[in-house]
Amino acid sequence: MKTWMWFVLIAVLSWGAYVPMIHKGAQAFGGGKGSFRAFLFVGLAYFLMAGAILLYLSVTKTEPLSMTSKGAGISTFAGLLGAAGALGVIFATSRYGGSPLIVAPLVFAGAPIVNTFVSMVLHRPESAPRPMFYVGLLLAAAGAAIVLRFRPT
């Protein structure tokens, strides 16, 4: 397996467990009234992880620590998008009664479809997508619909 695929696996496992775990965390704070506190600790976890990685890079000198304003701006905007998504998941599951069995399939089937179009805008393809590309997008949406229709009760 190529090295980058191991990191994809980490992302899949982490994000796959994220929705049920953040729902459980918000419930431990008191359900719907615990949504903002759960979000606070999600932010703290990002901060701690970033600090640990920064320390690692500093000690090992595996990557330069120089910054650019463009990189900082775009990365901060990406972080805001991630935080908005986390807040959406927390509110959907904890404050407004959505089940992780419903919210997660919608998020994780919808996000790759949005990602595909955003990626195509930011990294314009050399040629127009073939018809099977659109079939794949429809199958992704259909997959979420099937999961939701036949979810465990």
Side-chain angles (χ1 to χ4, degrees), residues 91-140:
F91 275 20
T93 59
S94 299
R95 182 158 291 207
Y96 296 104
S99 164
L101 286 172
I102 297 172
V103 172
L106 291 172
V107 168
F108 293 120
I113 294 169
V114 172
N115 170 277
T116 299
F117 288 110
V118 172
S119 294
M120 287 172 64
V121 168
L122 295 177
H123 309 283
R124 188 162 176 80
E126 293 178 14
S127 60
R130 295 184 299 217
M132 288 306 287
F133 168 82
Y134 297 103
V135 171
L137 292 176
L138 290 173
L139 287 172

mmCIF file of all heavy atoms in Angstrom, residues 91-140:
data_model
loop_
_atom_site.group_PDB
_atom_site.id
_atom_site.type_symbol
_atom_site.label_atom_id
_atom_site.label_comp_id
_atom_site.label_asym_id
_atom_site.label_seq_id
_atom_site.Cartn_x
_atom_site.Cartn_y
_atom_site.Cartn_z
ATOM 1 N N PHE A 91 -24.639 20.346 16.164
ATOM 2 C CA PHE A 91 -26.007 20.850 16.307
ATOM 3 C C PHE A 91 -27.029 19.868 15.743
ATOM 4 O O PHE A 91 -28.081 19.659 16.323
ATOM 5 C CB PHE A 91 -26.147 22.212 15.634
ATOM 6 C CG PHE A 91 -25.727 23.355 16.507
ATOM 7 C CD1 PHE A 91 -24.906 23.162 17.610
ATOM 8 C CD2 PHE A 91 -26.147 24.633 16.232
ATOM 9 C CE1 PHE A 91 -24.531 24.216 18.415
ATOM 10 C CE2 PHE A 91 -25.781 25.703 17.032
ATOM 11 C CZ PHE A 91 -24.962 25.496 18.128
ATOM 12 N N ALA A 92 -26.713 19.277 14.592
ATOM 13 C CA ALA A 92 -27.654 18.340 13.983
ATOM 14 C C ALA A 92 -27.929 17.161 14.902
ATOM 15 O O ALA A 92 -29.082 16.735 15.052
ATOM 16 C CB ALA A 92 -27.115 17.840 12.640
ATOM 17 N N THR A 93 -26.879 16.634 15.551
ATOM 18 C CA THR A 93 -27.065 15.430 16.361
ATOM 19 C C THR A 93 -27.462 15.728 17.796
ATOM 20 O O THR A 93 -28.192 14.949 18.401
ATOM 21 C CB THR A 93 -25.787 14.571 16.387
ATOM 22 O OG1 THR A 93 -24.706 15.334 16.909
ATOM 23 C CG2 THR A 93 -25.445 14.059 15.005
ATOM 24 N N SER A 94 -26.991 16.825 18.358
ATOM 25 C CA SER A 94 -27.174 17.038 19.789
ATOM 26 C C SER A 94 -28.257 18.046 20.130
ATOM 27 O O SER A 94 -29.021 17.850 21.051
ATOM 28 C CB SER A 94 -25.861 17.496 20.423
ATOM 29 O OG SER A 94 -24.881 16.508 20.243
ATOM 30 N N ARG A 95 -28.301 19.117 19.404
ATOM 31 C CA ARG A 95 -29.253 20.162 19.754
ATOM 32 C C ARG A 95 -30.599 19.955 19.073
ATOM 33 O O ARG A 95 -31.637 20.258 19.628
ATOM 34 C CB ARG A 95 -28.691 21.523 19.398
ATOM 35 C CG ARG A 95 -29.646 22.634 19.810
ATOM 36 C CD ARG A 95 -28.990 23.920 19.972
ATOM 37 N NE ARG A 95 -28.119 23.929 21.132
ATOM 38 C CZ ARG A 95 -27.828 25.013 21.804
ATOM 39 N NH1 ARG A 95 -28.336 26.152 21.455
ATOM 40 N NH2 ARG A 95 -27.017 24.973 22.823
ATOM 41 N N TYR A 96 -30.579 19.436 17.841
ATOM 42 C CA TYR A 96 -31.817 19.368 17.077
ATOM 43 C C TYR A 96 -32.295 17.948 16.798
ATOM 44 O O TYR A 96 -33.163 17.741 15.967
ATOM 45 C CB TYR A 96 -31.683 20.187 15.791
ATOM 46 C CG TYR A 96 -31.499 21.658 16.121
ATOM 47 C CD1 TYR A 96 -30.267 22.268 16.023
ATOM 48 C CD2 TYR A 96 -32.562 22.416 16.599
ATOM 49 C CE1 TYR A 96 -30.095 23.602 16.369
ATOM 50 C CE2 TYR A 96 -32.398 23.742 16.947
ATOM 51 C CZ TYR A 96 -31.169 24.329 16.823
ATOM 52 O OH TYR A 96 -30.993 25.652 17.169
ATOM 53 N N GLY A 97 -31.734 16.969 17.488
ATOM 54 C CA GLY A 97 -32.307 15.621 17.521
ATOM 55 C C GLY A 97 -31.989 14.687 16.378
ATOM 56 O O GLY A 97 -32.564 13.615 16.295
ATOM 57 N N GLY A 98 -31.065 15.044 15.501
ATOM 58 C CA GLY A 98 -30.704 14.130 14.423
ATOM 59 C C GLY A 98 -29.895 12.963 14.971
ATOM 60 O O GLY A 98 -29.019 13.141 15.806
ATOM 61 N N SER A 99 -30.183 11.801 14.497
ATOM 62 C CA SER A 99 -29.447 10.606 14.924
ATOM 63 C C SER A 99 -28.120 10.517 14.171
ATOM 64 O O SER A 99 -28.070 10.800 12.964
ATOM 65 C CB SER A 99 -30.279 9.362 14.625
ATOM 66 O OG SER A 99 -29.480 8.205 14.688
ATOM 67 N N PRO A 100 -27.035 10.094 14.849
ATOM 68 C CA PRO A 100 -25.792 9.861 14.118
ATOM 69 C C PRO A 100 -25.955 8.863 12.969
ATOM 70 O O PRO A 100 -25.238 8.932 11.983
ATOM 71 C CB PRO A 100 -24.845 9.309 15.187
ATOM 72 C CG PRO A 100 -25.357 9.867 16.465
ATOM 73 C CD PRO A 100 -26.856 9.914 16.299
ATOM 74 N N LEU A 101 -26.937 7.951 13.077
ATOM 75 C CA LEU A 101 -27.196 6.990 12.001
ATOM 76 C C LEU A 101 -27.773 7.652 10.752
ATOM 77 O O LEU A 101 -27.750 7.068 9.668
ATOM 78 C CB LEU A 101 -28.152 5.890 12.474
ATOM 79 C CG LEU A 101 -27.559 4.847 13.415
ATOM 80 C CD1 LEU A 101 -28.648 3.942 13.957
ATOM 81 C CD2 LEU A 101 -26.491 4.044 12.707
ATOM 82 N N ILE A 102 -28.316 8.853 10.912
ATOM 83 C CA ILE A 102 -28.869 9.592 9.772
ATOM 84 C C ILE A 102 -27.910 10.703 9.338
ATOM 85 O O ILE A 102 -27.641 10.886 8.160
ATOM 86 C CB ILE A 102 -30.250 10.185 10.120
ATOM 87 C CG1 ILE A 102 -31.236 9.050 10.403
ATOM 88 C CG2 ILE A 102 -30.762 11.085 8.998
ATOM 89 C CD1 ILE A 102 -32.574 9.509 10.943
ATOM 90 N N VAL A 103 -27.386 11.441 10.315
ATOM 91 C CA VAL A 103 -26.531 12.594 10.015
ATOM 92 C C VAL A 103 -25.250 12.157 9.295
ATOM 93 O O VAL A 103 -24.867 12.744 8.277
ATOM 94 C CB VAL A 103 -26.208 13.385 11.302
ATOM 95 C CG1 VAL A 103 -25.176 14.464 11.043
ATOM 96 C CG2 VAL A 103 -27.487 13.991 11.884
ATOM 97 N N ALA A 104 -24.574 11.143 9.815
ATOM 98 C CA ALA A 104 -23.285 10.732 9.245
ATOM 99 C C ALA A 104 -23.397 10.314 7.774
ATOM 100 O O ALA A 104 -22.593 10.777 6.952
ATOM 101 C CB ALA A 104 -22.645 9.640 10.090
ATOM 102 N N PRO A 105 -24.346 9.463 7.377
ATOM 103 C CA PRO A 105 -24.427 9.120 5.954
ATOM 104 C C PRO A 105 -24.698 10.328 5.056
ATOM 105 O O PRO A 105 -24.156 10.419 3.958
ATOM 106 C CB PRO A 105 -25.586 8.115 5.882
ATOM 107 C CG PRO A 105 -25.653 7.520 7.236
ATOM 108 C CD PRO A 105 -25.264 8.631 8.180
ATOM 109 N N LEU A 106 -25.511 11.258 5.535
ATOM 110 C CA LEU A 106 -25.769 12.454 4.730
ATOM 111 C C LEU A 106 -24.504 13.297 4.569
ATOM 112 O O LEU A 106 -24.171 13.736 3.468
ATOM 113 C CB LEU A 106 -26.886 13.296 5.366
ATOM 114 C CG LEU A 106 -28.282 12.688 5.316
ATOM 115 C CD1 LEU A 106 -29.256 13.515 6.145
ATOM 116 C CD2 LEU A 106 -28.764 12.582 3.879
ATOM 117 N N VAL A 107 -23.794 13.493 5.676
ATOM 118 C CA VAL A 107 -22.575 14.300 5.640
ATOM 119 C C VAL A 107 -21.505 13.619 4.798
ATOM 120 O O VAL A 107 -20.900 14.233 3.909
ATOM 121 C CB VAL A 107 -22.051 14.572 7.071
ATOM 122 C CG1 VAL A 107 -20.643 15.161 7.042
ATOM 123 C CG2 VAL A 107 -23.004 15.488 7.823
ATOM 124 N N PHE A 108 -21.268 12.341 5.055
ATOM 125 C CA PHE A 108 -20.142 11.671 4.423
ATOM 126 C C PHE A 108 -20.444 11.157 3.021
ATOM 127 O O PHE A 108 -19.530 10.672 2.332
ATOM 128 C CB PHE A 108 -19.595 10.580 5.329
ATOM 129 C CG PHE A 108 -18.960 11.163 6.566
ATOM 130 C CD1 PHE A 108 -19.432 10.847 7.826
ATOM 131 C CD2 PHE A 108 -17.914 12.059 6.463
ATOM 132 C CE1 PHE A 108 -18.858 11.402 8.966
ATOM 133 C CE2 PHE A 108 -17.328 12.623 7.590
ATOM 134 C CZ PHE A 108 -17.801 12.289 8.838
ATOM 135 N N ALA A 109 -21.678 11.254 2.574
ATOM 136 C CA ALA A 109 -21.979 11.026 1.155
ATOM 137 C C ALA A 109 -22.055 12.363 0.429
ATOM 138 O O ALA A 109 -21.628 12.477 -0.717
ATOM 139 C CB ALA A 109 -23.285 10.260 0.985
ATOM 140 N N GLY A 110 -22.566 13.373 1.102
ATOM 141 C CA GLY A 110 -22.679 14.691 0.470
ATOM 142 C C GLY A 110 -21.353 15.404 0.338
ATOM 143 O O GLY A 110 -21.070 16.039 -0.685
ATOM 144 N N ALA A 111 -20.501 15.295 1.353
ATOM 145 C CA ALA A 111 -19.218 16.014 1.338
ATOM 146 C C ALA A 111 -18.327 15.624 0.151
ATOM 147 O O ALA A 111 -17.745 16.512 -0.480
ATOM 148 C CB ALA A 111 -18.490 15.819 2.661
ATOM 149 N N PRO A 112 -18.198 14.352 -0.196
ATOM 150 C CA PRO A 112 -17.354 14.026 -1.361
ATOM 151 C C PRO A 112 -17.903 14.587 -2.674
ATOM 152 O O PRO A 112 -17.138 14.917 -3.577
ATOM 153 C CB PRO A 112 -17.342 12.492 -1.395
ATOM 154 C CG PRO A 112 -17.656 12.081 -0.003
ATOM 155 C CD PRO A 112 -18.595 13.136 0.525
ATOM 156 N N ILE A 113 -19.218 14.710 -2.760
ATOM 157 C CA ILE A 113 -19.804 15.284 -3.977
ATOM 158 C C ILE A 113 -19.452 16.767 -4.059
ATOM 159 O O ILE A 113 -18.997 17.256 -5.096
ATOM 160 C CB ILE A 113 -21.330 15.041 -4.004
ATOM 161 C CG1 ILE A 113 -21.615 13.543 -4.119
ATOM 162 C CG2 ILE A 113 -21.976 15.822 -5.151
ATOM 163 C CD1 ILE A 113 -23.064 13.148 -3.897
ATOM 164 N N VAL A 114 -19.616 17.489 -2.945
ATOM 165 C CA VAL A 114 -19.232 18.904 -2.904
ATOM 166 C C VAL A 114 -17.736 19.033 -3.144
ATOM 167 O O VAL A 114 -17.281 19.894 -3.917
ATOM 168 C CB VAL A 114 -19.643 19.538 -1.557
ATOM 169 C CG1 VAL A 114 -19.073 20.944 -1.418
ATOM 170 C CG2 VAL A 114 -21.160 19.551 -1.409
ATOM 171 N N ASN A 115 -16.940 18.167 -2.494
ATOM 172 C CA ASN A 115 -15.484 18.186 -2.664
ATOM 173 C C ASN A 115 -15.090 18.053 -4.122
ATOM 174 O O ASN A 115 -14.170 18.728 -4.598
ATOM 175 C CB ASN A 115 -14.856 17.049 -1.849
ATOM 176 C CG ASN A 115 -13.396 16.862 -2.183
ATOM 177 O OD1 ASN A 115 -13.051 16.197 -3.154
ATOM 178 N ND2 ASN A 115 -12.537 17.462 -1.390
ATOM 179 N N THR A 116 -15.767 17.199 -4.843
ATOM 180 C CA THR A 116 -15.446 16.983 -6.252
ATOM 181 C C THR A 116 -15.606 18.271 -7.048
ATOM 182 O O THR A 116 -14.726 18.647 -7.833
ATOM 183 C CB THR A 116 -16.347 15.870 -6.827
ATOM 184 O OG1 THR A 116 -16.088 14.666 -6.106
ATOM 185 C CG2 THR A 116 -16.092 15.657 -8.306
ATOM 186 N N PHE A 117 -16.703 18.984 -6.820
ATOM 187 C CA PHE A 117 -16.938 20.207 -7.588
ATOM 188 C C PHE A 117 -16.012 21.343 -7.154
ATOM 189 O O PHE A 117 -15.505 22.088 -7.989
ATOM 190 C CB PHE A 117 -18.413 20.610 -7.522
ATOM 191 C CG PHE A 117 -19.293 19.696 -8.322
ATOM 192 C CD1 PHE A 117 -20.180 18.833 -7.694
ATOM 193 C CD2 PHE A 117 -19.214 19.669 -9.710
ATOM 194 C CE1 PHE A 117 -20.980 17.982 -8.433
ATOM 195 C CE2 PHE A 117 -20.014 18.818 -10.459
ATOM 196 C CZ PHE A 117 -20.901 17.968 -9.816
ATOM 197 N N VAL A 118 -15.774 21.469 -5.863
ATOM 198 C CA VAL A 118 -14.833 22.496 -5.387
ATOM 199 C C VAL A 118 -13.436 22.206 -5.930
ATOM 200 O O VAL A 118 -12.737 23.112 -6.397
ATOM 201 C CB VAL A 118 -14.836 22.582 -3.845
ATOM 202 C CG1 VAL A 118 -13.726 23.494 -3.348
ATOM 203 C CG2 VAL A 118 -16.189 23.080 -3.338
ATOM 204 N N SER A 119 -13.022 20.936 -5.903
ATOM 205 C CA SER A 119 -11.712 20.564 -6.438
ATOM 206 C C SER A 119 -11.615 20.868 -7.921
ATOM 207 O O SER A 119 -10.565 21.311 -8.414
ATOM 208 C CB SER A 119 -11.438 19.078 -6.196
ATOM 209 O OG SER A 119 -11.315 18.825 -4.821
ATOM 210 N N MET A 120 -12.700 20.656 -8.659
ATOM 211 C CA MET A 120 -12.690 20.940 -10.091
ATOM 212 C C MET A 120 -12.585 22.441 -10.357
ATOM 213 O O MET A 120 -11.991 22.855 -11.356
ATOM 214 C CB MET A 120 -13.929 20.349 -10.763
ATOM 215 C CG MET A 120 -13.878 18.840 -10.882
ATOM 216 S SD MET A 120 -15.417 18.108 -11.466
ATOM 217 C CE MET A 120 -15.554 18.792 -13.100
ATOM 218 N N VAL A 121 -13.150 23.260 -9.480
ATOM 219 C CA VAL A 121 -13.030 24.709 -9.634
ATOM 220 C C VAL A 121 -11.604 25.153 -9.307
ATOM 221 O O VAL A 121 -11.006 25.957 -10.027
ATOM 222 C CB VAL A 121 -14.058 25.444 -8.747
ATOM 223 C CG1 VAL A 121 -13.760 26.931 -8.666
ATOM 224 C CG2 VAL A 121 -15.479 25.206 -9.258
ATOM 225 N N LEU A 122 -11.041 24.636 -8.221
ATOM 226 C CA LEU A 122 -9.704 25.048 -7.790
ATOM 227 C C LEU A 122 -8.589 24.429 -8.632
ATOM 228 O O LEU A 122 -7.514 25.014 -8.767
ATOM 229 C CB LEU A 122 -9.496 24.684 -6.320
ATOM 230 C CG LEU A 122 -10.393 25.401 -5.318
ATOM 231 C CD1 LEU A 122 -10.147 24.892 -3.907
ATOM 232 C CD2 LEU A 122 -10.215 26.910 -5.387
ATOM 233 N N HIS A 123 -8.824 23.237 -9.158
ATOM 234 C CA HIS A 123 -7.829 22.517 -9.958
ATOM 235 C C HIS A 123 -8.507 22.079 -11.253
ATOM 236 O O HIS A 123 -8.852 20.914 -11.421
ATOM 237 C CB HIS A 123 -7.285 21.301 -9.197
ATOM 238 C CG HIS A 123 -6.806 21.629 -7.824
ATOM 239 N ND1 HIS A 123 -5.596 22.240 -7.589
ATOM 240 C CD2 HIS A 123 -7.386 21.472 -6.616
ATOM 241 C CE1 HIS A 123 -5.444 22.429 -6.297
ATOM 242 N NE2 HIS A 123 -6.523 21.972 -5.681
ATOM 243 N N ARG A 124 -8.700 23.038 -12.118
ATOM 244 C CA ARG A 124 -9.470 22.811 -13.347
ATOM 245 C C ARG A 124 -8.953 21.596 -14.119
ATOM 246 O O ARG A 124 -7.766 21.512 -14.453
ATOM 247 C CB ARG A 124 -9.405 24.057 -14.207
ATOM 248 C CG ARG A 124 -10.315 24.008 -15.400
ATOM 249 C CD ARG A 124 -10.520 25.409 -15.950
ATOM 250 N NE ARG A 124 -11.313 25.390 -17.152
ATOM 251 C CZ ARG A 124 -12.638 25.299 -17.163
ATOM 252 N NH1 ARG A 124 -13.297 25.223 -16.039
ATOM 253 N NH2 ARG A 124 -13.297 25.300 -18.293
ATOM 254 N N PRO A 125 -9.859 20.648 -14.410
ATOM 255 C CA PRO A 125 -9.441 19.472 -15.183
ATOM 256 C C PRO A 125 -9.048 19.871 -16.615
ATOM 257 O O PRO A 125 -9.546 20.863 -17.151
ATOM 258 C CB PRO A 125 -10.675 18.578 -15.204
ATOM 259 C CG PRO A 125 -11.695 19.217 -14.358
ATOM 260 C CD PRO A 125 -11.248 20.584 -14.013
ATOM 261 N N GLU A 126 -8.181 19.081 -17.200
ATOM 262 C CA GLU A 126 -7.742 19.362 -18.568
ATOM 263 C C GLU A 126 -8.829 19.069 -19.587
ATOM 264 O O GLU A 126 -8.852 19.660 -20.662
ATOM 265 C CB GLU A 126 -6.495 18.540 -18.881
ATOM 266 C CG GLU A 126 -5.287 18.972 -18.077
ATOM 267 C CD GLU A 126 -4.063 18.128 -18.364
ATOM 268 O OE1 GLU A 126 -4.063 17.382 -19.365
ATOM 269 O OE2 GLU A 126 -3.107 18.230 -17.578
ATOM 270 N N SER A 127 -9.725 18.139 -19.272
ATOM 271 C CA SER A 127 -10.813 17.802 -20.194
ATOM 272 C C SER A 127 -12.114 17.672 -19.407
ATOM 273 O O SER A 127 -12.109 17.508 -18.186
ATOM 274 C CB SER A 127 -10.510 16.492 -20.927
ATOM 275 O OG SER A 127 -10.354 15.443 -20.006
ATOM 276 N N ALA A 128 -13.210 17.743 -20.126
ATOM 277 C CA ALA A 128 -14.534 17.627 -19.492
ATOM 278 C C ALA A 128 -14.714 16.215 -18.930
ATOM 279 O O ALA A 128 -14.215 15.234 -19.501
ATOM 280 C CB ALA A 128 -15.623 17.922 -20.509
ATOM 281 N N PRO A 129 -15.423 16.109 -17.801
ATOM 282 C CA PRO A 129 -15.675 14.775 -17.237
ATOM 283 C C PRO A 129 -16.473 13.906 -18.214
ATOM 284 O O PRO A 129 -17.330 14.392 -18.944
ATOM 285 C CB PRO A 129 -16.492 15.061 -15.980
ATOM 286 C CG PRO A 129 -16.266 16.499 -15.678
ATOM 287 C CD PRO A 129 -15.986 17.164 -16.977
ATOM 288 N N ARG A 130 -16.166 12.618 -18.189
ATOM 289 C CA ARG A 130 -16.915 11.668 -19.009
ATOM 290 C C ARG A 130 -18.247 11.362 -18.333
ATOM 291 O O ARG A 130 -18.414 11.593 -17.130
ATOM 292 C CB ARG A 130 -16.090 10.402 -19.210
ATOM 293 C CG ARG A 130 -14.819 10.685 -20.029
ATOM 294 C CD ARG A 130 -14.056 9.441 -20.304
ATOM 295 N NE ARG A 130 -13.624 8.830 -19.045
ATOM 296 C CZ ARG A 130 -12.477 8.232 -18.856
ATOM 297 N NH1 ARG A 130 -11.628 8.141 -19.833
ATOM 298 N NH2 ARG A 130 -12.167 7.708 -17.697
ATOM 299 N N PRO A 131 -19.206 10.815 -19.055
ATOM 300 C CA PRO A 131 -20.527 10.529 -18.476
ATOM 301 C C PRO A 131 -20.482 9.647 -17.221
ATOM 302 O O PRO A 131 -21.270 9.840 -16.299
ATOM 303 C CB PRO A 131 -21.272 9.834 -19.616
ATOM 304 C CG PRO A 131 -20.632 10.365 -20.861
ATOM 305 C CD PRO A 131 -19.177 10.565 -20.498
ATOM 306 N N MET A 132 -19.552 8.689 -17.162
ATOM 307 C CA MET A 132 -19.489 7.806 -15.993
ATOM 308 C C MET A 132 -19.130 8.574 -14.717
ATOM 309 O O MET A 132 -19.449 8.145 -13.614
ATOM 310 C CB MET A 132 -18.493 6.664 -16.222
ATOM 311 C CG MET A 132 -18.986 5.623 -17.213
ATOM 312 S SD MET A 132 -20.609 4.928 -16.794
ATOM 313 C CE MET A 132 -20.182 3.911 -15.409
ATOM 314 N N PHE A 133 -18.471 9.722 -14.865
ATOM 315 C CA PHE A 133 -18.198 10.591 -13.724
ATOM 316 C C PHE A 133 -19.519 10.992 -13.060
ATOM 317 O O PHE A 133 -19.675 10.908 -11.844
ATOM 318 C CB PHE A 133 -17.424 11.827 -14.186
ATOM 319 C CG PHE A 133 -17.326 12.914 -13.167
ATOM 320 C CD1 PHE A 133 -16.367 12.860 -12.168
ATOM 321 C CD2 PHE A 133 -18.183 14.000 -13.211
ATOM 322 C CE1 PHE A 133 -16.263 13.869 -11.227
ATOM 323 C CE2 PHE A 133 -18.090 15.011 -12.272
ATOM 324 C CZ PHE A 133 -17.134 14.946 -11.282
ATOM 325 N N TYR A 134 -20.475 11.422 -13.881
ATOM 326 C CA TYR A 134 -21.774 11.843 -13.355
ATOM 327 C C TYR A 134 -22.556 10.648 -12.801
ATOM 328 O O TYR A 134 -23.271 10.781 -11.815
ATOM 329 C CB TYR A 134 -22.561 12.585 -14.434
ATOM 330 C CG TYR A 134 -21.854 13.853 -14.850
ATOM 331 C CD1 TYR A 134 -21.151 13.919 -16.043
ATOM 332 C CD2 TYR A 134 -21.845 14.974 -14.016
ATOM 333 C CE1 TYR A 134 -20.469 15.071 -16.412
ATOM 334 C CE2 TYR A 134 -21.169 16.130 -14.372
ATOM 335 C CZ TYR A 134 -20.486 16.169 -15.567
ATOM 336 O OH TYR A 134 -19.808 17.299 -15.922
ATOM 337 N N VAL A 135 -22.393 9.496 -13.417
ATOM 338 C CA VAL A 135 -23.007 8.271 -12.895
ATOM 339 C C VAL A 135 -22.447 7.986 -11.500
ATOM 340 O O VAL A 135 -23.189 7.642 -10.579
ATOM 341 C CB VAL A 135 -22.780 7.070 -13.841
ATOM 342 C CG1 VAL A 135 -23.220 5.763 -13.200
ATOM 343 C CG2 VAL A 135 -23.511 7.294 -15.162
ATOM 344 N N GLY A 136 -21.129 8.161 -11.331
ATOM 345 C CA GLY A 136 -20.503 7.959 -10.021
ATOM 346 C C GLY A 136 -21.064 8.899 -8.962
ATOM 347 O O GLY A 136 -21.316 8.490 -7.827
ATOM 348 N N LEU A 137 -21.275 10.164 -9.332
ATOM 349 C CA LEU A 137 -21.873 11.115 -8.378
ATOM 350 C C LEU A 137 -23.288 10.687 -7.996
ATOM 351 O O LEU A 137 -23.673 10.748 -6.809
ATOM 352 C CB LEU A 137 -21.891 12.524 -8.981
ATOM 353 C CG LEU A 137 -20.535 13.188 -9.181
ATOM 354 C CD1 LEU A 137 -20.707 14.540 -9.868
ATOM 355 C CD2 LEU A 137 -19.805 13.354 -7.856
ATOM 356 N N LEU A 138 -24.055 10.249 -8.978
ATOM 357 C CA LEU A 138 -25.408 9.762 -8.684
ATOM 358 C C LEU A 138 -25.375 8.517 -7.801
ATOM 359 O O LEU A 138 -26.204 8.371 -6.889
ATOM 360 C CB LEU A 138 -26.166 9.468 -9.982
ATOM 361 C CG LEU A 138 -26.568 10.689 -10.809
ATOM 362 C CD1 LEU A 138 -27.154 10.255 -12.150
ATOM 363 C CD2 LEU A 138 -27.574 11.543 -10.037
ATOM 364 N N LEU A 139 -24.414 7.641 -8.047
ATOM 365 C CA LEU A 139 -24.291 6.437 -7.217
ATOM 366 C C LEU A 139 -23.903 6.784 -5.782
ATOM 367 O O LEU A 139 -24.366 6.136 -4.835
ATOM 368 C CB LEU A 139 -23.281 5.466 -7.820
ATOM 369 C CG LEU A 139 -23.744 4.724 -9.073
ATOM 370 C CD1 LEU A 139 -22.586 3.941 -9.683
ATOM 371 C CD2 LEU A 139 -24.919 3.814 -8.753
ATOM 372 N N ALA A 140 -23.070 7.814 -5.599
ATOM 373 C CA ALA A 140 -22.720 8.248 -4.247
ATOM 374 C C ALA A 140 -23.967 8.723 -3.513
ATOM 375 O O ALA A 140 -24.200 8.360 -2.356
ATOM 376 C CB ALA A 140 -21.667 9.354 -4.296
#
